[in-house]
RNA sequence: GCCGCCGUAGCUCAGCUGGUUAGAGCGCUUGACUGUGGAUCAAGAGGUCGGCGAUUCGAAUUCGCCCGGCGGUACCA
């Protein structure tokens, strides 16, 4: 009876697709967010915050027939048996916000927003169940100028983050053109919804699969390297040819498809966006028309855009990585109408912050610069902790990151701790120094450079990295050490 | 979801066709060592061999199912 049953212990583990964020990553991300924010602010967008949780039906992911939300969103019921969901993007909450506050808002309403979003999907390479988006949207403007401006914003933002011209491209297309093309191969009408979606998905994969892959998807279907089969759209060869021709070239769009009124409208809009961008100095290396851009199938109604890094990116083993788009967006004129019944034009872009950061780091734009740790005040005499605390406080008062060693270890352990924290130097005051009213300041950065062969020599040299100063001059001497190792 | 590859210590891996108490390097803790990071030396901690079941006298090793990871693919607001 002496042996009690082990208490059931939870396993310390992280749900898949979610990640802890280290100090270095947080610093890198925050630096990046600050730059993005700066650009967005300069365009006049105002910040907005909305909660992570919304009613599922407001997000538009409620399945009325099944009485529960879409599987792709994390959902749960509140006390009133109402379905709530974690937001899966920042656009749906914006639509809700605008609809709810419509009378109060200046129109056009232009806001930016940054925050985590969640998707309950299988995680993959560069694909998580929580990730950060940084959005800018203009609500209440139907003009192509609003769309053009977002493309320019995307370009400016990437450049502000250090992506050079030629290392990125903003690609623009228009859903109306796509609709017109589909119509011109007799895929209009309700009967062809399935086929239309299949064709759009195939077009979207042109980048990755090339002409051959797309052709397979348009026709009978495609088998990938692992042997998995994707069903094709079942188009005739003639239809498929037209689609492939369309995707392959942006020339002669009007001649080929202009007879369809929707397509003509879309082409007008595309040309207008391009004209505005060119007038503002954004050339064809930065903003281009790309017929293969499709984007989300559910709500985009006109122009769609995406930006990608064109510079080659490789993983640790040197294998090239297909990063995908780092900015995406488009016009969604029907999203607010869902709530109000009134048509409100809107257009926006979304930066995939996590993915972009990954890409930037791969391109060497954003090293996780190991930030300098705090100055550590060592504890030699336990009963003199108040004195040590005072020294740490004096350093803080002088705007120097400093901490008292709070562990239990001996001097050696404390040195090791300071080393690991990346401390530039430590402050030491034992009985000898105290007696003379002095402190030792040991320069750890310099000390590390003096690693000699044998112990005696090492210890001797170590002393060179250590200065003895009057206690009253602690702050200025620490500051001198810090200055020595800046940058 | 589908297809493929992989699961042995904190990390990287070894363990031949089944055969005593499962190993190495790195890392970690302690000491040699003084009131001082590194190096060296010594000692130590750390493993349900992913889990369950089957075959067998005997399974880390063979087979089945499950779980997890990676990659591809599908879906993707």
């Amino acid at each position: 009876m002496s042996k009690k049953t082990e208490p059931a212990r939870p396993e310390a583990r992280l749900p898949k697709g979610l990640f802890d964020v280290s100090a270095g990553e947080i610093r890198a991300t925050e630096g990046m967010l600050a730059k993005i924010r700066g650009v967005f602010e300069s365009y006049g967008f105002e910040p907005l915050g909305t909660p992570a949780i919304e009613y599922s039906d407001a997000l538009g992911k409620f399945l009325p027939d099944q009485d529960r939300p879409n599987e792709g969103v994390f959902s749960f019921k509140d006390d009133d048996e109402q379905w709530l969901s974690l937001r899966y993007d920042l656009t749906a909450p914006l639509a809700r916000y605008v609809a709810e506050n419509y009378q109060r808002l200046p129109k056009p309403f232009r806001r930016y927003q940054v925050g985590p979003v969640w998707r309950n999907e299988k995680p993959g390479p560069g694909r998580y169940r929580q990730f950060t988006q940084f959005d800018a949207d203009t609500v209440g403007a139907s003009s192509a100028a609003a769309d053009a401006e977002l493309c320019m914003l995307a370009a400016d933002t990437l450049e502000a983050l250090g992506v050079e011209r030629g290392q990125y491209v903003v690609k623009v297309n228009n859903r109306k053109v796509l609709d017109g093309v589909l119509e011109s191969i007799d895929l209009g009408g309700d009967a062809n919804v399935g086929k239309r979606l299949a064709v759009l998905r195939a077009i979207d994969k042109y980048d990755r699969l090339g002409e051959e892959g797309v052709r397979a998807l348009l026709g009978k279907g495609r088998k990938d390297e692992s042997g998995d089969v994707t069903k094709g759209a079942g188009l005739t060869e003639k239809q498929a040819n037209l689609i492939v021709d369309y995707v392959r070239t942006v020339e002669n769009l009007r001649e080929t498809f202009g007879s369809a009124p929707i397509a003509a409208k879309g082409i007008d809009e595309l040309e207008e966006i391009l004209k505005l961008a060119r007038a503002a100095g954004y050339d064809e290396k930065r903003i281009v028309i790309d017929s293969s851009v499709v984007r989300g199938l559910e709500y985009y109604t006109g122009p769609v855009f995406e930006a990608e890094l064109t510079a080659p990116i490789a993983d640790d083993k040197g294998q090239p990585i297909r990063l995908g788009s780092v900015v995406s967006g488009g016009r969604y004129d029907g999203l607010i109408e869902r709530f109000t019944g009134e048509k409100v034009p809107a257009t926006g872009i979304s930066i995939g912050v996590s993915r972009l950061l990954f890409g930037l780091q791969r391109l060497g734009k954003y090293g996780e610069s190991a930030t300098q740790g705090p100055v550590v005040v060592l504890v030699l005499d336990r009963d003199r902790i108040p004195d040590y605390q005072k020294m740490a406080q004096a350093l803080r008062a002088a705007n120097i990151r400093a901490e008292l060693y709070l562990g239990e270890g001996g001097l050696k352990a404390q040195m090791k701790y300071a080393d690991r924290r990346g401390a530039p130097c430590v402050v030491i005051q034992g009985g000898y120094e105290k007696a003379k009213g002095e402190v030792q300041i040991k320069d750890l950065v310099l000390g590390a450079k003096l690693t000699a062969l044998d112990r005696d020599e090492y210890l001797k040299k170590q002393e060179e990295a250590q200065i003895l100063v009057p206690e009253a001059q602690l702050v200025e001497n620490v500051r001198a050490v810090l200055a020595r190792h800046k940058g």
Side-chain angles (χ1 to χ4, degrees), chain A residues 123-425:
Chain A
R127 195 171 175 152
Y128 312 116
R129 296 205 297 177
Q130 174 183 324
F131 54 96
T132 301
Q133 293 195 329
F134 206 131
D135 284 31
D137 293 80
T138 297
V139 178
S142 55
S143 132
D147 301 300
E149 189 187 73
L150 291 170
C151 295
M152 285 151 40
L153 174 65
D156 286 1
T157 303
L158 289 172
E159 289 188 18
L161 292 170
V163 183
E164 287 153 40
R165 285 187 198 173
Q167 292 190 313
Y168 73 90
V169 63
V170 179
K171 304 189 294 193
V172 189
N173 197 19
N174 196 302
R175 292 298 283 271
K176 288 171 188 158
V177 179
L178 286 162
D179 289 342
V181 170
L182 289 169
E183 208 167 273
S184 74
I185 56 166
D186 300 320
L187 285 183
D190 292 345
N192 290 311
V193 174
K195 267 193 180 176
R196 277 206 300 273
L197 288 178
V199 172
L200 290 175
R201 285 180 194 129
I203 293 173
D204 197 32
K205 295 184 175 70
Y206 182 73
D207 265 9
R208 192 153 46 89
L209 303 181
E211 184 181 326
E212 204 180 323
V214 170
R215 210 176 268 281
L217 285 174
L218 290 172
K220 290 194 163 59
R222 174 178 175 270
K223 192 190 263 189
D224 70 41
E225 306 138 39
S226 68
D228 194 21
V229 179
T230 309
K231 244 174 76 184
L235 298 194
T236 65
E237 199 167 322
K238 200 172 155 196
Q239 289 174 313
N241 281 338
L242 257 161
I243 295 289
V244 170
D245 283 348
Y246 161 71
V247 175
R248 236 180 359 200
T249 171
V250 294
E251 313 295 324
N252 311 321
L253 269 186
R254 200 177 288 280
E255 286 80 346
T256 320
F257 302 103
S259 55
I262 322 169
K265 181 87 170 44
I267 294 165
D268 288 346
E269 289 175 7
L270 268 180
E271 287 181 348
E272 180 70 10
I273 290 172
L274 227 55
K275 197 180 93 192
L276 290 163
R278 298 287 182 262
Y282 295 78
D283 64 15
E284 63 283 350
K285 291 215 169 91
R286 296 206 269 167
I287 299 178
V288 301
I289 294 177
D290 186 321
S291 306
S292 71
V293 174
V294 177
R295 299 313 305 169
L297 301 174
E298 272 186 52
Y299 62 58
Y300 289 126
T301 56
V304 285
F305 7 93
E306 63 184 38
E308 65 181 37
L309 301 178
T310 53
I313 295 173
D315 66 13
D316 293 329
K317 292 168 193 153
Q319 295 290 313
I321 294 173
R322 190 177 290 275
L323 191 65
S325 63
V326 292
V327 184
S328 69
R331 178 164 283 281
Y332 49 97
D333 286 346
L335 208 55
I336 288 158
E337 186 184 7
R338 253 185 8 95
F339 295 97
T340 61
E342 222 175 302
K343 225 177 181 107
V344 179
T347 183
I349 57 164
S350 179
I351 298 179
V353 171
S354 318
R355 185 185 280 186
L356 179 54
L357 176 61
F358 177 80
L360 291 177
Q361 286 175 333
R362 285 281 144 192
L363 292 176
K365 305 287 183 198
Y366 251 92
E368 261 186 51
S369 55
T371 328
Q372 203 169 55
V375 173
V376 178
V377 179
L378 305 191
V379 173
L380 275 78
D381 300 323
R382 297 239 146 237
D383 52 351
R384 290 193 48 238
I385 283 180
D387 293 346
Y388 299 135
Q389 186 69 270
K390 205 172 133 195
M391 292 182 206
Q393 195 55 43
L395 290 168
R396 290 174 198 141
N399 217 8
I400 295 168
R401 276 185 93 201
E403 68 174 33
L404 173 71
Y405 176 74
L406 294 170
E408 312 289 323
L411 227 213
K412 191 167 179 140
Q414 300 191 32
M415 287 300 302
K416 219 167 192 171
Y417 169 80
D419 188 35
R420 275 209 197 159
R421 286 297 314 273
C425 63

Side-chain angles (χ1 to χ4, degrees), chain A residues 415-482:
Chain A
M415 287 300 302
K416 219 167 192 171
Y417 169 80
D419 188 35
R420 275 209 197 159
R421 286 297 314 273
C425 63
V426 294
V427 175
I428 305 170
Q429 189 188 56
Y432 312 149
E433 292 85 5
K434 174 67 182 167
K436 287 185 272 181
E438 293 172 329
V439 292
Q440 297 268 15
I441 296 168
K442 174 151 184 174
D443 183 338
L444 296 189
V445 181
L446 181 60
K449 286 182 190 152
L450 299 177
T451 299
L453 284 175
D454 67 271
R455 183 170 178 76
D456 289 339
E457 194 180 346
Y458 169 73
L459 288 177
K460 200 185 299 171
K461 290 235 173 160
Q462 283 286 290
E463 279 172 25
E464 293 173 18
Q466 198 162 321
I467 53 168
L468 190 61
V469 302
E471 195 176 331
Q473 292 168 26
L474 170 67
V475 170
E476 54 199 274
N477 280 286
V478 167
R479 191 175 279 143
V481 171
L482 294 184

